[in-house]
Amino acid sequence: MFPTEFAYHRATSVQDAIAFLGANPDAKVLAGGHSLIPAMKLRLAAPGALVDIGRIESLHAIDVRPDGAKIGAMATYNDIRDNAGIARIYPILPEAIAEIGDAQVRERGTFGGSLAHADPAADLTAVFLALNGEIAVTGPNGDRTIKADDLFVDLWTTTLETDEIITSVILPAPPASNGMGYEKHAHPASGYAVVGIAAVLGFSADKTCESARIAVTGATSKATRLTGVEQALTGQKLTAELVSSAAGQASDGLDINGDLYASEEYRAHLVNVLTRRVLTSAAGL
Amino acid sequence: MAEAPAKIETQRITLTVNGQEHAEEVEPRMLLVHFLRDQLGLTGTHVGCDTSQCGACVVDVNGKTTKSCTMFAVQADGAEITTIEGLASEGAYHPVQEGFWEMHGLQCGYCTPGMIMSSVALLKRNPHPSEQEIRHELEGNICRCTGYQNIVRAVQYAADKMGESGAASAD
Amino acid sequence: MTTTSELPETAPETRYIGKPIKRREDPRLMTGQGSFLDDIRLPGMSYAEVVRSPYAHANIKMIDTGAAKSMPGVLGVFTGDDFMDINPLPCAWQAGKVTNNVNTPRVLAVDKVCQVGDPVAVVVAETPYQARDAAAAVDVDYEELPAVTDAKATTADGAPQLHENAPNNIVLTWECGTDADSVDAALKAADVHVTEEIRNQRLIPTAIETRGSIGRYDPGTDEYTLWETSQCPHVHRLLLAAFVMNIPEHKLRVIAPDIGGGFGQKIFLYWDMPLVLALAKKVGRPVKYVEDRSSNYLTATHGRDHVTDVEIGATNDGHITALKVKTWANLGAYLSTIAPGIPTTLYGRMVAGCYKIPNIHVDVVATYSNTAMVDAYRGAGRPEAAYLVERVCDLVAHATGVDPAEVRRRNFIQPEDFPYDTGVGMLPYDSGNYEQAFDRALEQVGYKELRAEQQRRRRNSDPKLLGIGLSSYVEVCGVAPSKWIGLPGEGWGAGLWESANVRVHLTGKIVATTGSLPHGQGHETSFSQLVAEELGVPIEDVEIQHGDTAGTPFGFGTYGSRSLAVGGIAMYKSLQKVKEKARRIAAHMLEASPEDIVWENGKAHVKGSPEQAKTLGEIALQASVAYDLPDGMEPYLDETTYYDPPNCTFPFGTHVCVVEIDRETGEIALRRYVAVDDVGNVVNPLIVDGQLHGGIAQGLSQALYEGAVYAENGELLTGTMNDYAMPRASMVPTYELDRTVTPSPTNPMGVKGAGEAGTIAATPAVANAVLDALRPFGIENLDMPLTPPKVWAAMHHAAGAAQAAD
């Protein structure tokens, strides 16, 4: 409950933050703080310095356009949930956000922070994969983007460099005709996903499933796409039988965790069941 | 004396708490809850866990419901904060406080300040919540005494009361 | 509401008793003006933090405090060797009439640690942050030893040994009931014979306020003051002064401020209490120690943790004829203050529940293990007993094919049987009408209709499995009398009476003290109601004081649902004494005989002449100015009572839980929760219902969510609220409460106690409901908590799975 000492710098701009990170190798970025501060309170994390990006105005904006959305890295879960454009185009976001942590986490936690932290049981990591998003990143060598499929490496590990900062989360426009959703079994104590499944399906005019992006969180060491299921659905007209049979294979080939609460076997089972449920609902079956 | 660790500088912050301005020096690592309790003496905000779970420390920071154990005081520089001590105005209890009293929504009273502050935030977001919504929105506050039923009733009481007064003032 | 009272049909109209008066404590608590331990700031306050063992079992080889001593703000760093003049903490309740191999904690571990978190050194610093920094700089060398955590495993051959004086880690072996041979014979003769291993898992009490203490020493007067999070400050003063610190009792003042919940965990004397007193003297400053939550989880007491092998004999028509119980009770690394009393007197002697069972034999083996100490937690022994016997009822139902409701009905103790001796050494149950509460609960929940729905759903292979769980409980409250519970009988090394003082001041305002100690139960309200009712004054004129040994007569504190049934009666008796004296003064003032004085509406008048009445205020003034009192009468209205009841009280009731289980995921939805409780007469129904709500939440949470788990090496795997599942608002249902009222004949108010009833009843109601839902799978028993993964695995692997899916 009493963090160790650190130096604090409130960044005035992204460049300022990058410079501070460059000058302080043991510095960490403080965004919403809802993953970092709990770790610091237990002294599981003890950074020598924090750079607070919370006051960088440009990082808070949410811009929704026909060709996609750009969500500032400091936009909080509730900023996103309450954005009418987001709710209209990406209903999976408010749906999943309602399942995150608690009212206070939703009020202060950020999409960008969640992705950078890459908790294996976070909710929006899977949603981000299903939405085929990318992050805009700034570092000492300038700007770059990282695609969702290239971001997560392992438990709490991403391809983001330690001196880079996420500036925004970029979401492409979903398919014109789509169905999406998030299903979760929450841990009774932490509220994190024991298993969470996010799905975004695209349909043609004749209701053929043209694209499917389905991702799991909580069950594996990082949010992971269920490519087998995606392939089984793509190009097909979805029926209850097809969805059921595809979802029945969802956990195949995954390296699934077991822990005190839920065994590997149960998690694998939940992956299949929740995949079927989210697909059934997303496909309007 | 062994060599002291490199001195970390304190920072000066100014902020408004319950309508009163404060300018204080704080260590960067000082959690907002410790600042409120130890430096400002506002001990109505409580600490019940060390993992940001229990919600006994919930306050309002710039209109956002906030666990003051999950924010550093330096982050609150310039902020307007309301704590449980600032909720009643001019001797009149906030309708949520009234609801907790009327409905026996508290027993030991330790989680109560945070529970009340979260309930106030909940009703600001959703003035007419269903029972299920109340239970969901209060997931960040743990009470060991009441079994929550009377807390739900307290929030419903406050929602009704605030609805009435809202309707009255709209007339 | 049904009354089975023998009282007159028309009870006198009351002004306060029985009314849902809003709590007088609430205004300060709901505005942030309460004063909890950590809110207290003394001039010159310093802060202690301890260095804790990372190992469950280890020898301490070396402690280097040098680096820590030179850290900023540090006032002192100490180890166990610095406190060898402080005795180990006492174990005040040892099981009666058997040998107890006692090992209790010292203020800091010396030479050896026996659990993760054992404190081995302490730092005092200017701020809590600096204290933590310095504690992290203390260097300790350990030699790790093998650990053991399970109650049964700890007694096995070759298990690591914790204490030299406790071979095989056995604290005590104890038995009660009919002799084992007779019970064996009855088992053999039974139509139906069932055996099962029933586990009552370890729980962490988790009051939202953790524990803490503040010590202050005044060298001018040689007086110590201790502020502590305590349910019984008087008892702590006695134990600290007489047994631990060897300081005169009158030189120690103990104060319990507002307490943020206790649930048993704050009954006990802990190492930090003498430690902060000793530190205050050493550093010459007040010293505060407040646990972090994870420290609380590691080393404050836990509850339950029983493993029981039970053998049941029954007739074909569901009469239980014999119970043979062998229970291993895991008491942790050391004995906490009253630990041995829980699995013996409060558990073993309650296993009959509300049933007539002719042959019962109970063996209890209490054990040490490399885990946190286990002591009383809400219900303390009685939840374990109720869980056992209520699971037994369902096991008999399954074995005989008799409906679970009918099994209970056939075995109930009947109203005419009271006082009833269960044959296991408990005092006779005082009063009850078990079947009445049972019928009412079944009616309210719609039992028959639910069973029909269940049949329908089973036939249709409904995706949701319906389960109906019954729990009829009886518990023992107001534990007393001293001559039974005390040292010669049950081993509690003291009395268990309670005190109350009532003073009517000159202005007619009343201050009443109680030796009980509220920590959420609302004594300031319900005791005020009692005072205002009896003396006929407005409740606003009454103040209840408690919690400070300097201002109140000795009392034993609040636990075991004893406040009203013992402390309340002490208050009631003091009020009668005040009234009697007031009557004599009124008689004197009205020139009448005391026998002719009647009390009405808070005034005393001569029978037949209500127009000439004296108010209590007028009488108090007369008593106080004292120039015209009856001959020989002492001035002032000031009366004290030390009340030792003739018997305990035995609340009872029936709870019914209805669950729906998702066949596919094992997820459990709580559809209904009906509770019909009988706690005797009720002073404040608002408060009683609140106690039941909270109790039910805790009980159902044991069934579904909570459980402390240790790794084999003794690491606590559920060491934070991120891992230990506390119930939240969305995880509990709406409770539907009803009452019957069977007054206790034990005390003049007819009250019983309500603090633990909900917890005791709820766990078996919920567990039975889940297991009832799983009947088609042939599942007889599962260990709590009954989480979705566990329920799913049981269904998935059950032999009857295929059949159930049909």
Side-chain angles (χ1 to χ4, degrees), chain C residues 138-338:
Chain C
V138 173
D139 188 17
V140 188
D141 258 4
Y142 297 93
E143 175 194 18
E144 196 179 355
L145 301 169
V148 61
T149 61
D150 178 77
K152 262 188 184 176
T154 191
T155 62
D157 287 343
Q161 300 292 298
L162 271 74
H163 304 289
E164 275 177 16
N165 70 346
N168 299 316
N169 298 313
I170 290 174
V171 177
L172 61 93
T173 57
W174 179 94
E175 58 185 330
C176 70
T178 318
D179 69 277
D181 290 345
S182 308
V183 174
D184 282 336
L187 286 168
K188 210 165 180 183
D191 299 341
V192 177
H193 185 246
V194 183
T195 61
E196 193 60 72
E197 183 194 81
I198 295 193
R199 284 183 176 255
N200 202 295
Q201 84 273 30
R202 179 182 282 249
L203 303 175
I204 310 183
T206 319
I208 304 303
E209 177 197 39
T210 59
R211 289 189 335 91
S213 48
I214 299 168
R216 184 174 67 185
Y217 175 71
D218 181 342
T221 58
D222 199 28
E223 284 173 354
Y224 292 89
T225 308
L226 175 67
W227 288 260
E228 52 166 20
T229 51
S230 171
Q231 299 174 219
C232 45
H234 286 279
V235 175
H236 287 182
R237 178 173 71 156
L238 170 67
L239 296 177
L240 283 168
F243 300 105
V244 182
M245 296 190 74
N246 198 25
I247 51 180
E249 196 175 351
H250 63 289
K251 291 292 188 186
L252 173 59
R253 175 182 178 188
V254 178
I255 302 169
D258 283 329
I259 303 298
F263 311 110
Q265 196 185 62
K266 292 172 184 167
I267 299 171
F268 319 117
L269 193 72
Y270 288 90
W271 50 271
D272 54 291
M273 295 163 181
L275 184 62
V276 292
L277 292 173
L279 288 171
K281 190 170 185 179
K282 278 188 195 293
V283 303
R285 303 257 299 261
V287 176
K288 180 193 274 188
Y289 171 76
V290 177
E291 291 169 338
D292 288 345
R293 173 58 61 190
S294 27
S295 300
N296 173 271
Y297 275 17
L298 280 180
T299 54
T301 54
H302 295 177
R304 319 277 191 260
D305 206 347
H306 284 194
V307 186
T308 296
D309 287 341
V310 62
E311 283 186 68
I312 311 157
T315 63
N316 283 325
D317 62 356
H319 286 96
I320 305 170
T321 54
L323 263 190
K324 193 173 180 192
V325 173
K326 177 156 186 178
T327 296
W328 286 259
N330 188 349
L331 299 185
Y334 314 94
L335 296 184
S336 166
T337 314
I338 63 170

Side-chain angles (χ1 to χ4, degrees), chain B residues 38 50 53 107 139 149, chain C residues 23 41 294 722 728 735:
Chain B
D38 297 340
D50 48 13
Q53 294 279 341
Q107 290 180 25
E139 277 180 342
Q149 185 150 320
Chain C
R23 295 202 326 166
R41 273 145 183 74
S294 27
N722 267 322
R728 293 160 194 258
Y735 322 108

Side-chain angles (χ1 to χ4, degrees), chain B residues 1-2 4-5 27 29-31 34 37-38 41 43-51 53-54 56 84-85 88 93 97-98 100-113 116 131 134-136 138-150 152-153, chain C residues 22-24 26-27 29-34 36 38-39 41 70-72 128-130 133 204-210 259-261 263 292-294 377-378 519-520 686-687 690-691 693-695 697-698 701 706 720-722 724 726-730 732-735:
Chain B
M1 184 149 167
E27 268 191 280
R29 64 168 163 169
M30 179 172 271
L31 296 169
H34 291 144
R37 289 176 52 80
D38 297 340
T43 55
T45 301
H46 295 155
V47 175
C49 74
D50 48 13
T51 49
Q53 294 279 341
C54 81
I84 188 70
E85 289 93 342
Y93 296 131
Q97 287 171 315
E98 223 181 283
F100 272 72
W101 198 13
E102 291 290 335
M103 295 292 126
H104 188 29
L106 64 151
Q107 290 180 25
C108 81
Y110 196 82
C111 77
T112 308
I116 287 177
E131 174 172 342
I134 294 170
R135 289 180 182 274
H136 179 67
L138 290 180
E139 277 180 342
N141 293 78
I142 298 178
C143 170
R144 191 52 146 174
C145 293
T146 64
Y148 299 103
Q149 185 150 320
N150 288 345
V152 172
R153 286 181 182 157
Chain C
K22 280 194 293 182
R23 295 202 326 166
R24 310 180 80 201
D26 290 0
L29 297 172
M30 68 198 203
T31 55
Q33 307 301 320
F36 295 91
D38 198 20
D39 302 342
R41 273 145 183 74
S70 59
M71 299 276 285
Y129 282 85
Q130 289 170 331
D133 291 346
I204 310 183
T206 319
I208 304 303
E209 177 197 39
T210 59
I259 303 298
F263 311 110
D292 288 345
R293 173 58 61 190
S294 27
Y377 165 55
R378 200 172 194 171
H519 42 287
L686 200 65
I687 288 176
Q691 288 293 311
H693 288 172
Q698 266 166 300
S701 189
E706 294 179 48
T720 73
M721 279 191 183
N722 267 322
Y724 186 83
M726 287 284 289
R728 293 160 194 258
S730 56
V732 297
T734 297
Y735 322 108

Side-chain angles (χ1 to χ4, degrees), chain C residues 215-507:
Chain C
R216 184 174 67 185
Y217 175 71
D218 181 342
T221 58
D222 199 28
E223 284 173 354
Y224 292 89
T225 308
L226 175 67
W227 288 260
E228 52 166 20
T229 51
S230 171
Q231 299 174 219
C232 45
H234 286 279
V235 175
H236 287 182
R237 178 173 71 156
L238 170 67
L239 296 177
L240 283 168
F243 300 105
V244 182
M245 296 190 74
N246 198 25
I247 51 180
E249 196 175 351
H250 63 289
K251 291 292 188 186
L252 173 59
R253 175 182 178 188
V254 178
I255 302 169
D258 283 329
I259 303 298
F263 311 110
Q265 196 185 62
K266 292 172 184 167
I267 299 171
F268 319 117
L269 193 72
Y270 288 90
W271 50 271
D272 54 291
M273 295 163 181
L275 184 62
V276 292
L277 292 173
L279 288 171
K281 190 170 185 179
K282 278 188 195 293
V283 303
R285 303 257 299 261
V287 176
K288 180 193 274 188
Y289 171 76
V290 177
E291 291 169 338
D292 288 345
R293 173 58 61 190
S294 27
S295 300
N296 173 271
Y297 275 17
L298 280 180
T299 54
T301 54
H302 295 177
R304 319 277 191 260
D305 206 347
H306 284 194
V307 186
T308 296
D309 287 341
V310 62
E311 283 186 68
I312 311 157
T315 63
N316 283 325
D317 62 356
H319 286 96
I320 305 170
T321 54
L323 263 190
K324 193 173 180 192
V325 173
K326 177 156 186 178
T327 296
W328 286 259
N330 188 349
L331 299 185
Y334 314 94
L335 296 184
S336 166
T337 314
I338 63 170
I342 310 308
T344 55
T345 301
L346 292 180
Y347 163 76
R349 300 206 189 285
M350 286 305 292
V351 298
C354 34
Y355 309 106
K356 289 185 188 181
I357 304 174
N359 300 284
I360 303 178
H361 183 82
V362 180
D363 276 309
V364 174
V365 183
T367 68
Y368 289 112
S369 71
N370 299 108
T371 60
M373 296 184 290
V374 173
D375 206 326
Y377 165 55
R378 200 172 194 171
R382 291 152 289 162
E384 297 90 320
Y387 182 67
L388 179 69
V389 72
E390 289 307 302
R391 289 293 304 122
V392 162
C393 285
D394 275 23
L395 290 168
V396 167
H398 302 162
T400 58
V402 178
D403 185 275
E406 204 49 43
V407 168
R408 287 170 173 81
R409 204 186 292 287
R410 288 176 191 174
N411 288 283
F412 275 141
I413 299 162
Q414 295 299 316
E416 61 275 15
D417 296 333
F418 294 94
Y420 184 81
D421 182 349
T422 54
V424 283
M426 180 45 75
L427 293 175
Y429 292 180
D430 57 347
S431 63
N433 191 339
Y434 301 153
E435 197 160 350
Q436 177 179 258
F438 183 73
D439 286 342
R440 177 174 288 242
L442 262 52
E443 188 187 333
Q444 186 170 337
V445 80
Y447 186 72
K448 274 188 195 151
E449 295 76 7
L450 283 166
R451 283 287 176 215
E453 180 186 343
Q454 184 180 50
Q455 286 311 316
R456 224 167 31 244
R457 285 178 179 233
R458 283 180 180 169
R459 272 199 308 275
N460 302 339
S461 294
D462 194 281
K464 303 280 188 195
L465 299 157
L466 185 69
I468 308 148
L470 302 176
S471 163
S472 292
Y473 73 97
V474 58
E475 62 139 331
V476 53
C477 289
V479 174
S482 302
K483 67 180 183 218
W484 174 68
I485 193 81
L487 200 53
E490 294 296 307
W492 163 243
L496 263 181
W497 37 263
E498 197 50 84
S499 72
N501 170 263
V502 177
R503 265 166 293 154
V504 186
H505 289 297
L506 182 145
T507 56

Side-chain angles (χ1 to χ4, degrees), chain C residues 194 196 391 394-395 398-399 771 774-775 778-782:
Chain C
V194 183
E196 193 60 72
R391 289 293 304 122
D394 275 23
L395 290 168
H398 302 162
L771 287 158
L774 299 178
R775 277 303 293 154
I779 297 163
E780 288 289 336
N781 194 43
L782 282 176

Side-chain angles (χ1 to χ4, degrees), chain B residues 14-62:
Chain B
T14 59
L15 69 180
T16 305
V17 181
N18 301 330
Q20 196 179 336
E21 263 194 47
H22 297 269
E24 296 278 336
E25 289 286 329
V26 295
E27 268 191 280
R29 64 168 163 169
M30 179 172 271
L31 296 169
L32 179 60
V33 67
H34 291 144
F35 172 76
L36 293 171
R37 289 176 52 80
D38 297 340
Q39 212 147 325
L40 300 189
L42 295 169
T43 55
T45 301
H46 295 155
V47 175
C49 74
D50 48 13
T51 49
S52 306
Q53 294 279 341
C54 81
C57 66
V58 168
V59 299
D60 179 296
V61 179
N62 292 333

Side-chain angles (χ1 to χ4, degrees), chain A residues 12-85:
Chain A
T12 52
S13 67
V14 172
Q15 286 315 320
D16 177 35
I18 301 292
F20 186 84
L21 285 175
N24 297 276
D26 62 347
K28 276 191 175 288
V29 175
L30 178 63
H34 274 55
S35 300
L36 180 60
I37 298 176
M40 290 176 70
K41 287 195 299 184
L42 295 176
R43 299 195 168 193
L44 299 173
L50 290 184
V51 55
D52 182 357
I53 60 168
R55 306 282 177 107
I56 303 173
E57 209 45 53
S58 62
L59 298 184
H60 290 260
I62 298 175
D63 188 12
V64 186
R65 298 177 184 208
D67 60 338
K70 189 172 147 196
I71 298 171
M74 277 304 301
T76 65
Y77 296 129
N78 274 349
D79 291 340
I80 299 166
R81 177 161 83 158
D82 296 343
N83 184 293

